[in-house]
Amino acid sequence: MAENKTSIIVYADWLELFESLSDDEAGKLIKHFFRYVNDLNPKAPDRLTEISFIPIKQSLKRDLHKWEQKVDTRSKSGIEGNLKRWNKDLYEEYKSNKITLEDALIIAENRKTSQSDKTIANIAVTDSVTVTDSVTDILLKKETKEIFIFKNALIDFGFKKNLVDDWLKVRKTKKATNTETAFKKFIEQVLKTNAPYNQILELCIEKSWSGYKAEWFEKEKNPLENEKERTVGRMTESTYIKTINAFNN
């Protein structure tokens, strides 16, 4: 079977095949079956077992092919999701067929490597390594956790640095914590808003919001048209103006 696949489908209609065999013949077939699905590359003990196993083998191969396709689809979806989250510009170029997914991943990896080169002095390495080890090798061999930086995450996502700096001042005044959880919740709401990202951040700064919800943007950009009209005495402003104009005429 394929790597990481630990289960198989057994079909009820195989019963007819096994019932047509003697107990001894069925025993040989089932042993051959389990040796096959455990990748022991068995050789059928006789021609009857070999022939009887053909339809079972075909079913197993069809199921394996479907499973591999499903795994590939899920894997690709996960890769695309990470690309969209951390490198939105590359994701958009990939979706518009300007670059391939492989090219986008290479560029994204180069960005990470470049960032790692700047911060490698701060990485704690507990095991001894040779000086010839590359930065990538070190990160793969050591169980070092990447430090999350709220400001860098916002800039990497696509927000302008000057806007990020201004918003961080707002958050500091409001005593908001700049955690990874806070970043994820903010981005979730940003993605729900049908507006440019930096326009959203500008509004947060303007309104001194330390956090953000998608519905706030719509409320600010589309004020209610049915607000109560100002009154003069007991009359509305428009009625008052009409009355004054009537007297003047």
Side-chain angles (χ1 to χ4, degrees), residues 32-153:
H32 184 71
F33 168 81
F34 279 111
R35 288 167 183 162
Y36 178 83
V37 297
N38 282 280
D39 297 326
L40 298 179
N41 299 317
K43 184 178 180 180
D46 52 56
R47 184 166 175 77
L48 178 60
T49 302
E50 182 180 1
I51 295 173
S52 300
F53 188 64
I54 291 175
I56 297 177
K57 184 177 180 180
Q58 290 174 339
S59 296
L60 292 172
K61 286 189 173 182
R62 281 194 298 269
D63 292 342
L64 178 61
H65 181 65
K66 291 178 182 178
W67 183 83
E68 289 175 339
Q69 285 183 322
K70 185 179 295 184
V71 170
D72 289 342
T73 300
R74 290 177 178 173
S75 177
K76 184 178 179 181
S77 297
I79 291 172
E80 290 180 348
N82 285 330
L83 184 66
K84 182 178 180 180
R85 179 179 179 185
W86 301 111
N87 295 274
K88 189 169 180 62
D89 57 329
L90 296 178
Y91 175 79
E92 290 176 348
E93 289 189 16
Y94 156 64
K95 294 302 287 185
S96 60
N97 295 321
K98 292 181 180 179
I99 59 176
T100 65
L101 180 58
E102 182 179 1
D103 290 338
L105 293 175
I106 291 173
I107 297 172
E109 185 62 31
N110 287 337
R111 287 179 179 178
K112 289 169 60 178
T113 302
S114 177
Q115 183 68 22
S116 297
D117 289 340
K118 296 177 183 178
T119 60
I120 188 62
N122 297 323
I123 297 177
V125 180
T126 56
D127 296 332
S128 60
V129 294
T130 64
V131 293
T132 57
D133 284 336
S134 66
V135 172
T136 302
D137 290 336
I138 293 173
L139 294 177
L140 288 174
K141 292 178 181 178
K142 312 305 168 188
E143 295 181 356
T144 53
K145 187 175 182 180
E146 184 178 352
I147 300 174
F148 175 80
I149 302 176
F150 192 83
K151 176 180 178 179
N152 292 350

Side-chain angles (χ1 to χ4, degrees), residues 104-227:
L105 293 175
I106 291 173
I107 297 172
E109 185 62 31
N110 287 337
R111 287 179 179 178
K112 289 169 60 178
T113 302
S114 177
Q115 183 68 22
S116 297
D117 289 340
K118 296 177 183 178
T119 60
I120 188 62
N122 297 323
I123 297 177
V125 180
T126 56
D127 296 332
S128 60
V129 294
T130 64
V131 293
T132 57
D133 284 336
S134 66
V135 172
T136 302
D137 290 336
I138 293 173
L139 294 177
L140 288 174
K141 292 178 181 178
K142 312 305 168 188
E143 295 181 356
T144 53
K145 187 175 182 180
E146 184 178 352
I147 300 174
F148 175 80
I149 302 176
F150 192 83
K151 176 180 178 179
N152 292 350
L154 289 170
I155 295 174
D156 290 342
F157 188 80
F159 294 103
K160 292 180 180 178
K161 182 179 180 299
N162 62 314
L163 294 178
V164 171
D165 289 335
D166 288 345
W167 193 47
L168 288 178
K169 292 177 183 177
V170 173
R171 289 180 61 81
K172 184 177 181 180
T173 302
K174 301 282 186 170
K175 297 182 179 180
T177 56
N178 297 326
T179 61
E180 186 172 3
T181 300
F183 170 77
K184 290 179 179 179
K185 289 184 177 297
F186 174 65
I187 296 302
E188 284 177 3
Q189 295 300 315
V190 167
L191 294 175
K192 290 180 180 179
T193 308
N194 186 24
Y197 299 157
N198 286 297
Q199 187 176 346
I200 297 172
L201 193 56
E202 285 178 352
L203 184 62
C204 289
I205 297 167
E206 178 186 341
K207 297 296 181 180
S208 294
W209 292 337
S210 61
Y212 175 72
K213 288 188 177 181
E215 57 264 28
W216 295 356
F217 187 91
E218 297 301 325
K219 289 181 181 179
E220 290 297 328
K221 293 304 177 182
N222 299 296
L224 293 176
E225 297 179 359
N226 60 346
E227 291 183 351

